[in-house]
Amino acid sequence: VAFTLLVLVVPLLLFMRGLLHDKRRSFLLISIFSLFYFALGVGKLYSGLDQQFYAISLTILSLVLHLSSLFHVNALVRKLRREAMQAAIEKTQETTA
């Protein structure tokens, strides 16, 4: 159990630096990477093992990770667009003044 947990957790830690520095690329990669965990959870759920709780929790948590990272990327893109629009407005106001 400990080795399996180690194998499942360590790859997620590779993206931690980018997540802490709010890098859009890291959020996109973790979103794609979480689909692997979703598939793993669904596979464990239907494999007939007696660890149904772990399979359900892995499936739900990976889906939450995937959706939250996508929503965060969407918010980052909106913020960048808003800042670019504001800079363009300020630039046009400076040139007309």
Side-chain angles (χ1 to χ4, degrees):
V1 175
F3 180 72
T4 305
L5 208 64
L6 184 68
V7 169
L8 291 176
V9 171
V10 169
L12 291 176
L13 295 177
L14 296 175
F15 301 106
M16 189 59 69
R17 183 174 179 188
L19 295 176
L20 292 174
H21 291 287
D22 212 20
K23 301 289 184 185
R24 185 173 46 173
R25 180 179 176 190
S26 294
F27 281 100
L28 288 173
L29 287 173
I30 199 95
S31 175
I32 293 168
F33 201 74
S34 68
L35 293 176
F36 166 73
Y37 288 100
F38 179 77
L40 185 66
V42 170
K44 284 186 177 273
L45 189 63
Y46 286 108
S47 67
L49 297 175
D50 56 346
Q51 297 178 349
Q52 295 290 326
F53 174 74
Y54 295 117
I56 291 170
S57 62
L58 181 62
T59 304
I60 291 172
L61 290 174
S62 65
L63 189 61
V64 167
L65 178 65
H66 177 73
L67 292 175
S68 63
S69 62
L70 285 181
F71 285 137
H72 187 74
V73 167
N74 190 10
L76 283 175
V77 168
R78 285 184 185 174
K79 180 183 172 187
L80 290 174
R81 284 183 187 162
R82 194 176 323 117
E83 289 173 356
M85 184 67 77
Q86 187 66 27
I89 290 171
E90 289 174 1
K91 186 176 181 180
T92 56
Q93 288 176 348
E94 289 175 1
T95 57
T96 57

